[in-house]
Amino acid sequence: MDRDEENYYGKHGEPRKFDPKFRGPIHNRRCTDIICCVIFIVVILGYIALGVVAWVHGDPRKVIYPTDSYGQFCGQRDTLNENKTILFYFNILKCASPVVLINLQCPTTQLCVSKCPDRFATYIDVQASYRYRPDQWNYFRQFCKPGFNNPRKSVAQVLRDEDCPSMIIPSRPFLKRCFPDFSTKNGVLTVANQTTFKDGRGKTRNVTDLREAANGINNVLDARSVGMKIFEDYAISWYWILIGLFIAMLLSLLFLVLLRFTAGVLFWIFIFGVIGIIGYGIWHCYWEYDHLKGIPGSDLTVYDIGFQTDFKVYLQLRQTWLAFMIILCGVEVIIILMLIFLRNRIRIAIALLKEGSRAIGYIMSTLFYPIVTFLLIAICISYWAVTAVFLATSGEPVYKVMANQTLCKYANLTCDPETFNTTNVTKLCPGAQCTFAFYGGESLYHKYIFIFQLANAFVFLWLVNFAIALGQCTLAGAFASYYWAYRKPADIPLWPLFSSFGRAIRYHTGSLAFGALILAIVQLIRVILEYLDHKLKGTQNSFTRFLLCCLKCCFWCLEKFLKFINRNAYIMIAIYGKNFCTSAKEAFFLLMRNVVRVAVLDKVTDFLLFLGKILVAGGVGVLAFFFFTQRIPVFAQEVPMLNYYWVPLLTVIIGSYLVAHGFFSVYAMCVDTLFLCFCEDLERNDGSTAKPYFMSASLHRILGKKKLSPKKAAG
């Protein structure tokens, strides 16, 4: 069949000609959207090049290991700091907050140590007693600069040159940094059961002076403790979690099989249940309306009593219940009328759902294709994350002058640690040091790090959307092969899923990349809008906030619309092999000519699949709850001892929902594909011997006619 085959309605409105050789997805194809395919390949090669460049310049150790004041990593192998894995702060009181500590922006000397201090001590006390208690000096010296061993040096000079800290505080490591060992005793903040400490400068300080750091750190440390317990729970219950997910997979398969026989029953039970509930609501409103008859004040109107903050007042009025009754009666009538006038379309929707279950039964391999999509997306996420980390750590160490004097004109200026001692900065600013500040750079590469990160995010979105598009087109081609088989399953081609995947990759990479590109652009704009909204959250400009809110809403709607159009365009690409724009246009107008059927099928499918997800996740969740709480006597001895039973329980529930979503996404794609094929079948054929329908016998019976003109059938 020629790839330039006309749409059902040609340029002059004439119906397209019947092709007796048409048997579903076209095999004689040509490549589509070649320019976009070439651009996509070039972008992928550029993305790989970006990753290589980032790998050459980046150093993830800057994230993994803390860095001391000399730019050296703590714990790095084959260095002097190999056994010194923890960062120690000379004067933690100079650090404004825990965030400053973690970002290595604290204006105090930072030193790599093998362990954190476990006691209170000051340099003044240690120096005074080093002759008769050398063990104290030997302990304190490990927190001084490497090589310093001169306890005779005056205290003023030591503190000026920051050879040693003025004090050490009992600490414990967190994020490979020494933080004070805070605890609460009888509601009082303490460190090692003490509320005061000497600061090494002749003053006695209260532990509450560290409260600014303690407030954030204690919360993080508590979270760390909880995190360790959660990790332990996962370590001893992971195989039971896998068993729960396997049960969820079996239940999902069972539900898809049962939909062939129960789709109609489930839908009509729900519909009549809604009608019954609304009917009960009408009766209850009438009962309340009649019960309030004769009660003083009940005949007042809402206008008479005005606005009341206590809404119970309105329930004492007959007018309120009369209004409720009228509204519910209107809803009831609308639902009944919709069922009467749309009954045939509802039957078609249910039949398509059953047909989808039958199609999956013949092409079972499609149920496991989401694993391929998952692996592709996992690769994209991993590459994006690794590239982002290497880009973020691509900077060279930048050193700045740290001066104790606030009037030092050299403070915060960049410096070179190798030549710093030969400059006159130390003379003009006594005690000033050239210490490591952060990672950065002035080269062309470092100036455009932000642009590279933005490109990394954009290509990531493009690749993820392409992986999803490839999955949708592959599944659509397989299910279209089922629908257009005149004798099912005899005419279904061999290996339809693999054949469809090969066609999508070989001929339509450009079209899939084109659709993914459009979606990626919109998603990137949404990400930028979210970033701007976060940055401008504190602004008082109401118009700016309103404009951002409107833009976010518009682009959210646009993204949803594009996803709908792309999904159906990929189905048409899988069937006819045309380019993206032509396929999107044909799919859109085909759906518009069957808009009522689209709405009915969409809602019926959404309801049944949502019901299936809830049943699978809820059923497995209840089973997991009884198991992990030892309420199943047979397995009571097998239940592992957990810190929090809700950890594996929530994991099983969420995992079961995702497993069900993966299987049901295949089913939803199947139903959408069969629906478009069904609409095409009605427009192409009329059920005659010359132009027979390809639909199943059940759909044919619902139509109720042997011959239907395309124009009438499409209505």
Side-chain angles (χ1 to χ4, degrees), residues 469-530:
L470 178 62
Q472 292 176 342
C473 189
T474 299
L475 292 173
F479 293 126
S481 298
Y482 164 83
Y483 185 93
W484 297 109
Y486 189 72
R487 295 175 300 167
K488 302 176 179 62
D491 291 343
I492 299 177
L494 189 65
W495 309 113
L497 182 67
F498 296 104
S499 300
S500 179
F501 180 81
R503 290 194 299 270
I505 288 291
R506 181 178 178 182
Y507 298 108
H508 307 303
T509 296
S511 297
L512 301 181
F514 188 23
L517 173 63
I518 297 172
L519 200 54
I521 293 173
V522 174
Q523 290 173 340
L524 183 65
I525 294 174
R526 288 194 62 202
V527 170
I528 295 174
L529 289 175
E530 290 290 344

Side-chain angles (χ1 to χ4, degrees), residues 277-350:
I277 291 172
I278 296 176
Y280 170 78
I282 294 172
W283 174 84
H284 182 76
C285 291
Y286 175 78
W287 183 86
E288 291 285 355
Y289 175 80
D290 185 68
H291 179 71
L292 291 174
K293 186 177 181 180
I295 297 178
S298 63
D299 290 326
L300 294 174
T301 63
V302 175
Y303 179 80
D304 293 333
I305 65 173
F307 177 77
Q308 301 291 327
T309 56
D310 186 4
F311 290 96
K312 293 182 179 179
V313 174
Y314 297 107
L315 299 180
Q316 308 301 320
L317 304 178
R318 299 184 73 203
Q319 187 185 62
T320 302
W321 293 104
L322 179 62
F324 286 161
M325 184 171 62
I326 293 173
I327 293 173
L328 290 178
C329 286
V331 173
E332 187 88 329
V333 170
I334 291 173
I335 291 177
I336 293 174
L337 290 177
M338 287 178 63
L339 291 176
I340 293 174
F341 290 104
L342 299 178
R343 64 188 185 279
N344 198 46
R345 288 178 172 84
I346 292 175
R347 291 173 62 201
I348 292 174
I350 294 173

Side-chain angles (χ1 to χ4, degrees), residues 182-195:
F182 294 105
S183 61
T184 303
K185 186 176 182 180
N186 298 325
V188 179
L189 187 67
T190 65
V191 174
N193 294 325
Q194 295 187 28
T195 58

Side-chain angles (χ1 to χ4, degrees), residues 609-620:
L609 295 186
F610 175 75
L611 180 63
K613 294 174 186 177
I614 296 300
L615 288 176
V616 172
V620 176

Side-chain angles (χ1 to χ4, degrees), residues 16 45 59 109 183 211 242 314 399 416 437 513 581 598 608 693:
R16 89 179 128 214
L45 295 176
D59 191 350
T109 300
S183 61
R211 184 181 298 276
L242 291 180
Y314 297 107
Y399 299 88
D416 186 352
C581 292
V598 172
L608 289 179
Y693 286 130

Side-chain angles (χ1 to χ4, degrees), residues 16 20 38 129 165 209 215 221 231 364 377 511 520 606:
R16 89 179 128 214
V38 173
S129 61
D209 293 340
N215 288 338
L221 292 176
F231 179 78
M364 288 292 291
I377 293 177
S511 297
D606 286 348

